[in-house]
Structure formats: structure tokens, C-alpha cells
Amino acid sequence: MRILFLLIILGLHLTSAQAQDFEFINYSKNLDVDVILAEDHDQDGDLDLLTVAFNSGEDIFYIIDNDGSGTFSFEEKIIMDDVDITWPKFGDLNGDGLSDMVFSQRSNNEIFVQLNQGDGSFEKQSLDIFDIQDFTITDRDGDGDMDLIGTNEDLTRIHIYENSGDLNFTLTQTLGTSYEDVEDYVVGDFNQDGIADIAYLGKTSFTESSVDIFISDGLYVYIGSQLANEFGGPRSVAFHDYDGDGQTELIAHRSSELRAFSFIEENQFAETSLVSMSSITSFNFGDLTNDGLADIVVGFNASDVLLYTYQPMSQLLYSESNVGTVFPAFSPNIGDFDGDGLNDIAILSLFDLTFFRNKGVPSSTYDDDIMKDVIVYPNPFNSKIHIEDDSRKDVQFQIRDLNNKLIVTTKKRVISAPHLSSGIYSLTIQDNKTHEVKTIKLIKR
């Protein structure tokens, strides 16, 4: 196996963005929340939260239902009380277009589903799957129905259950690991062959883990590879296309780093360090700057929640800014909770639920303090870009694509570019007299 290491230790030289516009909103209800999952469970167009909370001595399964007013006002609806469950997930298990709730019962690790009836009520049914400690529901083979993949009770094997319809699941494959337990795993199409691959963290010692992956060969035969060892501290894995190139990357988290692995071919992988900071507890990807690119929300053990804004045109991939004070921070969920078109953040800290309302994060300019007299409009644009300034005499303009390829170079204040494909570009403005240079992110509709 070949791994190409691309050393981008962003935590040491991240730029700092201007103050981000997030409003702290505390969910002041008497719930000790254990887990949150964001989902429009009733398909009314606003984002709700599934929670399992500890209240008055018992675990209660809640829907925190968004009232759609745009004011972060929610109504708590009890789905089950006095429950003993783990790992609640959402997914349309019966193909009726409604999101059902799937969970594991802690006493015997039996998998149940709460079938969404579409009228605010749910009907509980066993899936007759037992001894599953953790699971995910996904259409792993692209046949249109949701399958179930989970770890066994002693966390040494991964089971694949195929959905054959009518909520009947059949165990079709078992993948054995060589580790004492699987600490976390994620399912996604890493090699883009149409069949889900499975990446996981295998525990090698009390403080260390190994990052491994089972990759499908396209015929449902899985081949195992180790991507990294000695991965210490709190750990988790996720799949995400962090750079917008259309290829899914594996993101592995440990206490001091977020690292991305990219599939090249067969058993060859590229490796990139995205964020290097101490005491990372959690992370999630989402478009917080409304530019169509994935940013990272990172929670820490004893410091503020930080936002890493993706900047593909900059020498540094991310700029760092403060979101707000919540720590230790767990389970960041990203979505538009107030319906204003901007993604917000819901996050947990010591059983408390907090929202950060996105009030609009500046995203069009990388160098806001440079050449403030220069105005570029419209942005996003359809065919023409207009540039105005305070009578600068010798200014050069260049448009480049995401691969830094030069597309346009001109001194004209009106740039016509109807031929450009929709996407993200950079406009570099250079004053040859003052030697100032400004780079602006352009969005072509």
C-alpha cells in the first residue's frame, strides 16, 4: 500500500478571519440531552431535532419540533418515555417517503424502528436484528432501499444486513477485524464504484487506534487496508467531499488533528492534514458561508467552538474564526433552523443544547482590509463583472479557476465572461503603482 503524505499543518499557520456573525441561543428547557440529530421528521419544510434526554430519572425519546416561525421556537413531543436505547438514527425504511426512527435497545442490542405515520405519530416494530452495538442505515448497493450495517456486541466484527423489502433484513456479509474493538466507523462510496465502503478505527492500545478501510471491488468483495496507525486521543471518522472535487474523502479525527485521506487507485491513498489543534472533541462539515463550499465546525474540550472557512483560492485552505463559547462541545449539527437560507449550528455541551444562529458570514473577499475602495459587482454573476475604484490608474485583473488556471487577464473595468461554466473562481486585482494585490472569490451562476 502506498500513501502519499501532503503536509498541510494548517493549525500552525491558519489565517484569522474577521469576527463571525453568530448569535448564541441557549435552549432553556429542563432536558439533559444525550444526543441530537437534525432532520425534518414531519416534512413541513423546517428542521427539527431528534433527542434522547435524561429527565426525572428516566431516558425519554423526544422530537424537538420546529414551529417554523424562524425564531428558534420549538415544541417538545415525547415519542417514548422510560426507554433504554442507544444510537437513534433517521431513515426511510419502508419507502413511503417519511423519515422513520431506528434505534438499538440497550438491554439486548435489538434493533427497532419507529415507523412515521405521517400524522405526528409513530408505530414501534422490531426488525428482528439482535446483538448489534452500533449501526448505520444506508442504501449501500444503490437499489433504492435502506440497508443496515452495524458492529457486533463485542465490537470486533461488522455485519451487513440487506433490506429485501417489507422491513425484512437478511445478514449477507460479516467483516472481521484484527483489533480488540472498533471505536468508530463510517459507510460511504470511497472508490466511487457504486457500492458502499466501510472505514473504521481499530483500537490497538488504550490510547491509540489504527485507521483502516474495507474497500469493495465492485462485486461485493471487500479488501482491507490500513491508512494510518498511532492515532491517539478522542477519535472518530466521517466521509465528506471537503474540497468540492466530486470525490469523497475519508476524514479521520483525533484529539490534535483532522486528517483527510483520498482514494487514488487500488491500495494507493493521498493524505492531507486539514486542521491541527489540541483537544478536538468533535467536528462536522457544512456550508456556513453560503458559497457552496464545505466549511468545518470544530468543538474542543476546553475552548470556544471554531469555524474553519474553506478558501480554495488561498495559499492556506482554511481561515479560522470564533463561533462562540461552548465547551466541551459535542455532536455539532449544521442546518437552516430559522429558514433564512443560512446554515446554523446546534451543538451539545454537558447535556445542554445550544444553537448558534448564522447572521451572515462574510465570504466574498479573502483580503477585506486591502484595497477597500475596490468594488466588484454583481457577485454571484451571470455574464458580466463590473469593477469600480477611486481612480486607480494602472490596475490589472485576472480570473482563475479552482486549479489556478488563468482564464482571463485584462485591464478593462467591465469583464464579459458568459462562456465560463457555473462554479467558483478567483478574481485577482493588482495595482501596479501601489503594488497592492486583492483576491476575491467569484461565483458564476
Side-chain angles (χ1 to χ4, degrees):
M1 178 186 64
R2 243 175 95 206
I3 293 184
L4 310 178
F5 186 69
L6 311 178
L7 186 60
I8 308 176
I9 306 297
L10 299 173
L12 298 180
H13 14 232
L14 281 164
T15 59
S16 292
Q18 292 182 336
Q20 304 299 295
D21 293 324
F22 286 94
E23 177 187 356
F24 177 91
I25 300 175
N26 185 39
Y27 185 75
S28 56
K29 299 293 180 69
N30 296 320
L31 294 180
D32 289 334
V33 181
D34 294 330
V35 64
I36 53 173
L37 292 169
E39 171 81 9
D40 182 10
H41 82 97
D42 48 9
Q43 299 193 352
D44 62 354
D46 48 49
L47 199 58
D48 313 303
L49 284 172
L50 161 73
T51 72
V52 176
F54 187 76
N55 193 12
S56 301
E58 62 180 24
D59 282 326
I60 300 177
F61 204 170
Y62 282 94
I63 289 289
I64 298 181
D65 193 38
N66 194 335
D67 69 2
S69 65
T71 60
F72 288 83
S73 178
F74 298 87
E75 178 187 355
E76 294 171 5
K77 297 180 178 179
I78 296 177
I79 306 303
M80 293 186 299
D81 57 9
D82 195 17
V83 298
D84 185 28
I85 65 174
T86 59
W87 316 115
K89 304 288 169 62
F90 270 120
D92 181 10
L93 246 61
N94 56 0
D96 63 357
L98 300 173
S99 292
D100 309 305
M101 292 181 290
V102 189
F103 58 92
S104 175
Q105 187 164 285
R106 198 188 310 268
S107 59
N108 62 351
N109 293 322
E110 181 179 1
I111 306 296
F112 287 87
V113 60
Q114 285 276 6
L115 292 172
N116 191 339
Q117 303 301 297
D119 58 1
S121 65
F122 292 80
E123 180 181 301
K124 183 179 177 182
Q125 182 174 328
S126 173
L127 297 182
D128 292 324
I129 298 175
F130 297 88
D131 300 327
I132 294 297
Q133 180 82 354
D134 185 12
F135 68 91
T136 187
I137 45 179
T138 182
D139 182 6
R140 73 130 182 169
D141 49 8
D143 64 355
D145 52 38
M146 302 296 285
D147 309 303
L148 188 144
I149 299 175
T151 55
N152 69 319
E153 203 166 15
D154 61 8
L155 300 175
T156 59
R157 296 183 302 278
I158 298 173
H159 298 300
I160 299 174
Y161 290 86
E162 184 75 19
N163 187 344
S164 56
D166 297 325
L167 300 180
N168 293 314
F169 289 82
T170 303
L171 178 62
T172 57
Q173 284 180 275
T174 296
L175 304 176
T177 73
S178 58
Y179 303 103
E180 57 183 271
D181 66 51
V182 174
E183 293 188 292
D184 192 28
Y185 73 99
V186 64
V187 178
D189 189 3
F190 193 46
N191 60 353
Q192 297 182 304
D193 66 350
I195 298 175
D197 309 302
I198 305 170
Y200 66 98
L201 294 168
K203 188 173 182 178
T204 58
S205 69
F206 182 74
T207 59
E208 302 289 345
S209 291
S210 171
V211 182
D212 287 49
I213 189 167
F214 287 115
I215 295 183
S216 167
D217 66 352
L219 298 173
Y220 301 100
V221 175
Y222 286 92
I223 301 171
S225 296
Q226 184 185 65
L227 304 184
N229 56 14
E230 299 181 356
F231 221 66
R235 298 163 286 265
S236 62
V237 284
F239 278 125
H240 202 90
D241 178 13
Y242 82 88
D243 53 6
D245 65 354
Q247 179 178 334
T248 298
E249 286 84 29
L250 170 64
I251 313 299
H253 148 235
R254 59 177 172 174
S255 61
S256 60
E257 182 187 20
L258 295 181
R259 191 183 301 181
F261 299 90
S262 303
F263 178 81
I264 299 177
E265 59 180 2
E266 294 183 355
N267 62 344
Q268 295 185 30
F269 309 90
E271 186 174 337
T272 306
S273 183
L274 300 183
V275 175
S276 183
M277 292 284 285
S278 61
S279 301
I280 297 173
T281 57
S282 59
F283 71 97
N284 201 359
F285 285 86
D287 181 8
L288 275 299
T289 55
N290 214 29
D291 60 1
L293 301 173
D295 310 307
I296 314 175
V297 174
V298 181
F300 295 88
N301 186 51
S303 62
D304 292 344
V305 178
L306 297 181
L307 172 65
Y308 292 89
T309 303
Y310 188 53
Q311 304 184 141
M313 299 301 179
S314 174
Q315 289 182 339
L316 301 174
L317 282 181
Y318 292 94
S319 66
E320 176 191 292
S321 59
N322 184 281
V323 173
T325 302
V326 169
F327 61 84
F330 304 102
S331 302
N333 278 240
I334 298 172
D336 183 8
F337 289 96
D338 57 356
D340 64 353
L342 297 174
N343 282 328
D344 312 297
I345 303 166
I347 200 163
L348 293 180
S349 176
L350 296 179
F351 308 112
D352 292 328
L353 172 60
T354 295
F355 293 96
F356 289 102
R357 184 169 77 89
N358 189 347
K359 299 172 66 176
V361 182
S363 64
S364 61
T365 303
Y366 298 142
D367 308 300
D368 287 337
D369 294 328
I370 301 173
M371 303 173 74
K372 289 186 175 181
D373 62 303
V374 177
I375 300 173
V376 178
Y377 68 93
N379 189 18
F381 71 98
N382 290 317
S383 60
K384 290 184 178 181
I385 306 161
H386 299 260
I387 304 169
E388 296 180 358
D389 57 64
D390 291 343
S391 302
R392 294 176 181 266
K393 301 298 184 182
D394 187 8
V395 184
Q396 185 82 22
F397 308 103
Q398 292 184 341
I399 297 178
R400 296 178 181 271
D401 66 12
L402 287 175
N403 295 318
N404 208 33
K405 180 182 177 182
L406 182 63
I407 306 296
V408 175
T409 181
T410 184
K411 290 189 174 183
K412 295 180 179 180
R413 294 300 202 276
V414 178
I415 303 174
S416 181
H419 60 286
L420 292 182
S421 301
S422 297
I424 309 297
Y425 298 86
S426 69
L427 171 65
T428 300
I429 305 167
Q430 180 172 325
D431 189 319
N432 295 321
K433 185 176 181 180
T434 65
H435 304 293
E436 293 173 290
V437 178
K438 183 184 187 73
T439 301
I440 292 178
K441 185 185 303 180
L442 291 178
I443 302 176
K444 173 66 164 63
R445 294 188 189 278

